[in-house]
Amino acid sequence: MSDLLGQVRRWLLDSTTSSSSRLGKKAPPPGKKASRRPQRLSSLLSVRSVAGEVFLLQLAVVVLLVTAAVVALVVQARSAAMSDARNRTLAAAGTFAESPGIVAALRSPRPSAVLQPSAEAARKIAGVDGINVYSLDGVTLTHSDPRQIGKRVVGPFSKAAAGRSFTETFEGSLGKSVVSVVPVKDSDGRVIAVVSSPVTVQNVQSMVNRQLPVVAGSAAAVLALSAGGTALVSRRLLRRTHGLGPAEMTRMYEHHDAVLHAVREGVLIVGGGGRLLLANDEARRLLDLPVDAEGRPVTDLGLEEGIAGPIASGRSATDELHMAADRLLAVNIRPTAPYGKAGTVVTLRDTTELRALSGRAEVARERLKLLYDAGVQVGTTLNVERTAEELAEVAVPRFADVVTVDLLDRVLRGEEPPEAVTEMRRTAVAGLQGDHPLSPVGELIRFAPTGPMAIGLAGGRAVLEADLRATHRWRAQNQGNALQILDRGIHSLIVVPLRARGVVLGMAGYWRERDSPPFDDEDVSFAEELTARAALSIDNARRYTHEHNMAVTLQRSLLPRGVPEQSAVEVAHRYLPARAGVGGDWFDVIALPGARVALVVGDVVGHGLHAAATMGRLRTAVYNFSTLDLPPDELLSHLDELVTHIDTDEQEWQGITGATCLCAIYDPVSGQVTAATAGHPGPALVRPDGTVSFPEVPVSPPLGLGAGLPMETVTVTVPEGSRLALFTDGLIESRDRDPDAGLAALRAALAGPARTPEETCTAVIDTMLDARPGDDVALLVARTRLLDPSRIAEWEVRPEPAAVSPVRNACARRLADWGLEDIAFTTELILSELITNAIRYGTEPIRVRLLHDRSLICEVSDGSSTSPHLRRAEATDEGGRGLFLVAQFAERWGTRYTARGKIIWSEQVLHDGAAPPAADLGEALLAGWADEGF
């Protein structure tokens, strides 16, 4: 019985789960509350609930009845089967014993041969296990097992031999069987043989077993139908009782009565359609409900709209205050789902004694919200004027009708405020339209000693003028327009100093007019809190302005203010700062020996003082490395080492410096540009016909990341009049444009002949950039020139002392052709010393070149990499004075290394009186010896 109940229970659980899945319901995730259906089914199968007890009791009765019926059916079927077996065997045996010809067959010489076929055929027709014939002496004449024929058996045949038929159960060769025995009589009535017909009990049982599935299936169907009907009835009872047990139901009714009658808080249950389902005594008293209120819509109960609407709305609410007649009720509303049908439960609490405090609480809530909004809306920018305007805008009209903000001029400029304050400038006004009597924005306001502003500054606190008509202290500050202020309806004022970090930044004035209530002491406290928060934002903006101004000043001092005078290129440049402030982009034009010029553009990642300072250090380093006359690749290698050193020294507090650089050296004699880049975009080349190309410059890692790897260069020969454009990545990259699109736009902006570098810069900036780009931009455009071949002279020098004089004479003639006779003597002296040193200490080939540019440039090259050094010769030295003389007579001199040796060069200024007087020349010659040598 318990097994059957367990199967029925599992069947009900499975059917319920499958029904839930067909309805699209999902099982609850782990850790969450189960759905209502599994809870009800669990309660239905639990004896803890009334519905569960009824269901299990009814189910047990049904199971007992069905089991009894099945047992009765099985017993009846077995009894009927045994009775049928007796009747069948008796009929089969009697029919065969009375069959015609059986007596003759028995008396024949071979009775078994005659009777065995007939007996087997009759057995099959009768459906018995055998029809056996025995002689009166026990010899088997026919048998279902032919092997038993002729054998003698001993059986209970005495009754049959006496002429009586009978049926009984016995153990035979076929097992336990039901057998009927009938005597065979001749015509005289004598018994001559016995016929038996057996049926084994197993066969009888198989007949019964074939009927058991039908019986069991019928029983199961009856059980299922009965259980289902019982479950439906119990489920309805479960819904009515909510799965409660007898004790719980008793307790529920006790609590129900307590809520209805004893609880001193109103309770309402409102259905989904807005109808009142339940109201306790306290709710009836608080709302003055009629007797028949339950079942009627809430809106028809005569309640005021202010409280009837929320109760019937079905929305959730927490401690909302509503008026009901002369009572102030705190209303809480919660949905009844999932604990009951759709609806809401409403609790009412009488808070009439709090009515006087509700207004003040609302004001406090509004003030807190205003402070929160001020924290969000004031200080959105780092602009001092805009921050003052935001303070005025956020306070109007939620706190004051008119707000004025006055700041010190030094605060507006980002400087530290002075200790003594006597005047401020009106910075922001909000709440006034058209003409008004208050000072306009931009006007300088001087404080009257007895005015509220001076008093507030002196005391460091807010000053309240609750009634402007009744007091005259504020008139000292507004003598000229006091009557106009009163005529406009302004009647109350609070003046609060703007103080942050111990210094005064300005003053905030809060004014109320017309129907607004006058300010009181609580308003003063709030005004001080609001002003203090805004003062921090204004001071932050002032500090940012100060830092920004310092960064701008630093950057302007570090960027080149102009380009040096040189003849190699015509230069124009642009620098645009970013919206975020000062950045680290820079450019430079550096004049090099040999009439060459270096064009440099670099970029330091980031903005602010650190980026500007780093930019200045890198620009200075580039200039210093250029004085060593290094090629672009070596210059960038030294710069890379410098940035690595900077990162090593500063990474603990500043982080890794990100910087890129492009260096291009143009030689106006050969027309060649040699360029190298460290992580920087390459230059753009605009040929004289207006076509634009971007020479492929091998890109090395950014500065500081080279890890000692060599830099690579590219050399390009450009026609005279070509334009080189060097730029930083801010020109071609932005959030809305990728580098490829930027290069395409730059190509279009640069294209076109007959443009000066200045016109090219203007066209590129107007085409590529907005008014204030997102990143700072540096642009350098240089138009190339070539040195006139007639101003270039070159000679090969044989490596022997005798070759000095012919070359010196040839140089003197070329100087005469150029009209430089006034410096011919000093030039010959310089060349003699340089050529003599090259012949004595250098190797072939030795060449001399003169360049007539803005200055006269003398170059002596040889194949040796040994560099001469300037020194002061001792009195006994025969040499060592040549470079000393060169340094005395030349404006500049130096050494430049090449791939095949070195070049010793000197420059002489071309102007009237360039040749030193004879006295000066003699003094220079004698300066090489000490006095002790004579």
Side-chain angles (χ1 to χ4, degrees), residues 584-601:
D585 290 12
W586 93 92
F587 64 90
D588 214 339
V589 179
I590 305 172
L592 299 177
R596 298 169 304 135
V597 65
L599 306 175
V600 185
V601 169

Side-chain angles (χ1 to χ4, degrees), residues 605-804:
V605 176
H607 299 86
L609 283 174
H610 179 71
T614 304
M615 176 269 291
R617 298 171 72 176
L618 296 184
R619 179 172 176 261
T620 302
V622 170
Y623 185 84
N624 291 335
F625 291 146
S626 297
T627 60
L628 301 176
D629 212 352
L630 299 176
D633 54 342
E634 293 186 23
L635 188 149
L636 292 182
S637 296
H638 287 295
L639 198 63
D640 178 70
E641 293 178 3
L642 174 63
V643 174
T644 302
H645 180 70
I646 293 174
D647 288 340
T648 302
D649 291 344
E650 299 183 358
Q651 63 182 353
E652 293 184 359
W653 67 274
Q654 187 61 42
I656 302 300
T657 300
T660 62
C661 185
L662 168 65
C663 179
I665 297 179
Y666 174 66
D667 187 352
V669 177
S670 62
Q672 291 183 339
V673 177
T674 302
T677 177
H680 199 88
L685 173 62
V686 186
R687 298 186 180 274
D689 59 358
T691 59
V692 182
S693 64
F694 296 94
E696 294 186 3
V697 182
V699 179
S700 299
L703 298 175
L705 302 178
L709 297 177
M711 303 287 181
E712 299 184 46
T713 62
V714 65
T715 301
V716 180
T717 301
V718 299
E720 184 177 13
S722 299
R723 285 168 287 165
L724 286 170
L726 286 72
F727 51 88
T728 56
D729 57 0
L731 182 67
I732 60 174
E733 296 181 13
S734 66
R735 294 182 179 179
D736 303 327
R737 180 172 60 194
D738 58 42
D740 293 336
L743 288 176
L746 179 60
R747 182 190 298 272
L750 290 172
R755 281 185 182 175
T756 65
E758 195 68 33
E759 293 171 344
T760 302
C761 285
T762 301
V764 169
I765 296 300
D766 293 343
T767 302
M768 301 288 294
L769 299 176
D770 299 330
R772 297 195 66 186
D775 192 9
D776 48 341
V777 175
L779 173 64
L780 180 64
V781 178
R783 184 163 59 183
T784 62
R785 299 169 180 158
L786 287 177
L787 193 61
D788 189 351
S790 62
R791 289 175 169 259
I792 304 173
E794 294 185 88
W795 297 274
E796 292 283 348
V797 181
R798 299 188 310 275
E800 56 187 30
V804 176

Side-chain angles (χ1 to χ4, degrees), residues 467-640:
D467 188 355
L468 296 181
R469 293 185 179 274
T471 60
H472 299 279
R473 183 173 54 181
W474 67 277
R475 297 174 185 261
Q477 188 64 50
N478 304 272
Q479 293 181 358
N481 54 359
L483 294 179
Q484 291 87 343
I485 292 175
L486 295 176
D487 292 341
R488 187 180 177 90
I490 298 176
H491 58 78
S492 190
L493 167 66
I494 296 178
V495 178
V496 186
L498 279 161
R499 298 177 61 89
R501 300 179 177 94
V503 296
V504 176
L505 307 175
M507 297 290 293
Y510 302 94
W511 311 72
R512 284 185 179 175
E513 60 182 1
R514 297 185 178 90
D515 298 332
S516 298
F519 289 116
D520 54 23
D521 292 337
E522 292 186 1
D523 294 325
V524 172
S525 299
F526 175 78
E528 289 179 335
E529 178 67 21
L530 176 63
T531 306
R533 297 193 178 194
L536 287 175
S537 298
I538 292 176
D539 191 53
N540 289 337
R542 178 192 65 81
R543 289 168 175 261
Y544 171 79
T545 302
H546 178 67
E547 181 179 347
H548 178 73
N549 293 339
M550 290 179 57
V552 169
T553 302
L554 175 62
Q555 187 188 42
R556 288 177 179 175
S557 66
L558 296 176
L559 285 174
R561 298 182 180 180
V563 295
E565 294 183 359
Q566 41 79 37
S567 303
V569 291
E570 179 187 356
V571 178
H573 53 82
R574 293 287 188 277
Y575 174 79
L576 277 74
R579 287 192 300 267
V582 175
D585 290 12
W586 93 92
F587 64 90
D588 214 339
V589 179
I590 305 172
L592 299 177
R596 298 169 304 135
V597 65
L599 306 175
V600 185
V601 169
D603 183 7
V604 176
V605 176
H607 299 86
L609 283 174
H610 179 71
T614 304
M615 176 269 291
R617 298 171 72 176
L618 296 184
R619 179 172 176 261
T620 302
V622 170
Y623 185 84
N624 291 335
F625 291 146
S626 297
T627 60
L628 301 176
D629 212 352
L630 299 176
D633 54 342
E634 293 186 23
L635 188 149
L636 292 182
S637 296
H638 287 295
L639 198 63
D640 178 70

Side-chain angles (χ1 to χ4, degrees), residues 12 25 115 146 166 182 201 341 367 373 630 874 891 930:
L12 287 175
K25 296 182 178 179
L115 295 176
F166 66 91
V182 178
V201 174
K341 294 183 178 180
R367 295 288 172 83
D373 293 342
L630 299 176
E874 298 294 335
E891 180 73 17

Side-chain angles (χ1 to χ4, degrees), residues 287-579:
L287 299 177
D288 295 329
L289 295 178
V291 178
D292 58 346
E294 295 181 354
R296 294 169 55 183
V298 174
T299 54
D300 294 344
L301 298 178
L303 302 177
E304 297 180 4
E305 181 62 27
I307 193 170
I311 293 176
S313 65
R315 62 178 177 83
S316 297
T318 301
D319 287 339
E320 287 188 356
L321 299 177
H322 297 281
M323 294 299 301
D326 57 345
R327 298 185 180 94
L328 182 65
L329 303 181
V331 180
N332 291 272
I333 306 175
R334 294 289 185 274
T336 56
Y339 308 104
K341 294 183 178 180
T344 56
V345 58
V346 182
T347 62
L348 307 171
R349 188 172 67 256
D350 190 357
T351 59
T352 306
E353 66 278 4
L354 300 177
R355 183 174 183 178
L357 301 177
S358 62
R360 296 176 61 184
E362 181 66 20
V363 171
R365 187 180 69 84
E366 290 295 330
R367 295 288 172 83
L368 290 175
K369 188 175 185 302
L370 178 55
L371 288 176
Y372 171 79
D373 293 342
V376 174
Q377 299 175 17
V378 178
T380 58
T381 67
L382 291 174
N383 181 274
V384 177
E385 290 87 349
R386 180 55 192 155
T387 305
E389 293 172 357
E390 290 171 346
L391 168 60
E393 292 169 358
V394 77
V396 174
R398 298 164 64 181
F399 177 66
D401 298 314
V402 179
V403 175
T404 59
V405 180
D406 308 322
L407 298 178
L408 297 169
D409 282 341
R410 297 189 65 175
V411 172
L412 294 173
R413 295 193 298 266
E415 302 174 3
E416 289 292 333
E419 294 183 1
V421 178
T422 58
E423 59 184 20
M424 294 182 183
R425 191 170 300 277
R426 180 61 48 89
T427 307
V429 176
L432 293 176
Q433 301 295 332
D435 296 334
H436 56 83
L438 298 180
S439 300
V441 173
E443 181 175 320
L444 190 63
I445 301 175
R446 292 180 172 84
F447 300 158
T450 59
M453 299 180 71
I455 296 174
L457 286 176
R461 55 180 177 80
V463 177
L464 171 63
E465 299 287 351
D467 188 355
L468 296 181
R469 293 185 179 274
T471 60
H472 299 279
R473 183 173 54 181
W474 67 277
R475 297 174 185 261
Q477 188 64 50
N478 304 272
Q479 293 181 358
N481 54 359
L483 294 179
Q484 291 87 343
I485 292 175
L486 295 176
D487 292 341
R488 187 180 177 90
I490 298 176
H491 58 78
S492 190
L493 167 66
I494 296 178
V495 178
V496 186
L498 279 161
R499 298 177 61 89
R501 300 179 177 94
V503 296
V504 176
L505 307 175
M507 297 290 293
Y510 302 94
W511 311 72
R512 284 185 179 175
E513 60 182 1
R514 297 185 178 90
D515 298 332
S516 298
F519 289 116
D520 54 23
D521 292 337
E522 292 186 1
D523 294 325
V524 172
S525 299
F526 175 78
E528 289 179 335
E529 178 67 21
L530 176 63
T531 306
R533 297 193 178 194
L536 287 175
S537 298
I538 292 176
D539 191 53
N540 289 337
R542 178 192 65 81
R543 289 168 175 261
Y544 171 79
T545 302
H546 178 67
E547 181 179 347
H548 178 73
N549 293 339
M550 290 179 57
V552 169
T553 302
L554 175 62
Q555 187 188 42
R556 288 177 179 175
S557 66
L558 296 176
L559 285 174
R561 298 182 180 180
V563 295
E565 294 183 359
Q566 41 79 37
S567 303
V569 291
E570 179 187 356
V571 178
H573 53 82
R574 293 287 188 277
Y575 174 79
L576 277 74
R579 287 192 300 267

